[in-house]
Each structure stands twice: as structure tokens, then as C-alpha cells.
Amino acid sequence: MLDREPYAGLPELPVFELSSQDIADGQPLPQAQVAGQDVSPQLSWSGAPEGTRSYVVTAFDPDAPTPSGYWHWALSNIPADVTSLETGAAANPPEGSTRHRADGGSEAFEGAAPPPGHGPHRYIFCVTAVDTDHLDVEGASPAVLNFNLFFHGIGRAFLTGTHEEK
């Protein structure tokens, strides 16, 4: 398992399980999750803490050559009875969920696109269990969404893929 230091300064939360039929933890991402194809991976989670009332899903590259990393995907207000997203769900999210603009400007999934020669980048997929049915974050950036999770997150699940452009 790769280091998750972007989350190190946040409150420790119980960890639950996150898996995918498309990506494997610590392994290179398939071409479908790379820029140009931009297909969000299938994700399934289980074991969220009691009191979970909704979920947030994000994809983050902490290795992007910026002071703030790069947000590739953010989806909030996913109903608590949803515990998986099919491949490509970013384009057609669950009813009631809220899409957020990724750093490239799209509300869909933006595939991995590290600068050529910059080395391998990590793409951290995180599912956060939330203690409320609805976060009032419509139109918010992924950073503001995650700031709200400081107050409402009650558990996290991680899955990290990698990608490098030579």
C-alpha cells in the first residue's frame, strides 16, 4: 500500500474497504483511466461506520507539479444505500449526488495525465463516509468539498493507482 500523506494532517477516521474491478491498489492504471479516455473506474466499498448517511468519492494526484496537487474527480451526496459505482459512473452519477468541477474544469472524471518525464504519479481514490444526508456544496471546488469533510467525515476508504508518462 502506498503512503497516503495528503490525508495525514486530517483527523484520523476509521478505515473501511474499497475495491475495484478496474484498478488494483499500488498498480499502474489501465488506459481507460488515462487522459484521452477519461473513464472513471468501477468502485465498490463495504464496512462503512455506523451513522453513515451519504458518501463522497474523490480522485486526487498529490504528485502533480503544483502546491495543491490535482483533483481529477469529485462526487458528493451519494446516497448511503449506494455502495458501488459502475465503470464510467462519473458521466452518469447516482440520482441525488452532486458533481464537482475537477481541476481541469470538467465535472466528469479526468484521466491520469502527469507531465512526460515527471516520474510516476499516484492517483488516490478515496470514498469518505459522511454523517449527513446532504452537504451544502453545490458549485464548490473539490478543496472546499474536502474542507466540509473535515467536519462531517466519519470514515475513509482508499485505493491508489499509478501512472507515468515517459
Side-chain angles (χ1 to χ4, degrees):
M1 185 179 328
L2 296 171
D3 187 13
R4 305 233 180 355
E5 80 275 352
Y7 293 85
L10 299 176
E12 271 194 51
L13 298 178
V15 176
F16 56 101
E17 295 297 316
L18 177 59
S19 62
S20 175
Q21 297 170 356
D22 297 326
I23 60 176
D25 198 39
Q27 298 301 308
L29 294 173
Q31 279 303 120
Q33 281 73 55
V34 172
Q37 292 196 24
D38 304 302
V39 177
S40 61
Q42 185 278 335
L43 299 171
S44 297
W45 53 93
S46 62
E50 188 173 327
T52 299
R53 295 177 57 192
S54 66
Y55 296 99
V56 169
V57 172
T58 58
F60 179 66
D61 174 2
D63 304 312
T66 74
S68 58
Y70 190 99
W71 292 99
H72 285 263
W73 186 28
L75 185 63
S76 66
N77 299 322
I78 300 168
D81 62 348
V82 174
T83 58
S84 67
L85 297 174
E86 294 304 316
T87 302
N92 188 25
E95 187 173 335
S97 60
T98 303
R99 294 167 26 148
H100 298 270
R101 217 177 285 286
D103 283 346
S106 171
E107 287 187 347
F109 176 78
E110 296 179 359
H118 196 251
H121 283 218
R122 294 165 292 158
Y123 297 87
I124 302 172
F125 293 84
C126 179
V127 177
T128 303
V130 181
D131 68 358
T132 184
D133 294 332
H134 184 82
L135 294 170
D136 188 17
V137 290
E138 288 76 10
S141 69
V144 170
L145 167 62
N146 278 275
F147 180 74
N148 278 266
L149 294 178
F150 179 84
F151 304 100
H152 294 286
I154 59 172
R156 289 190 197 98
F158 296 103
L159 187 61
T160 301
T162 63
H163 185 69
E164 178 176 10
E165 291 288 332
K166 303 242 179 188

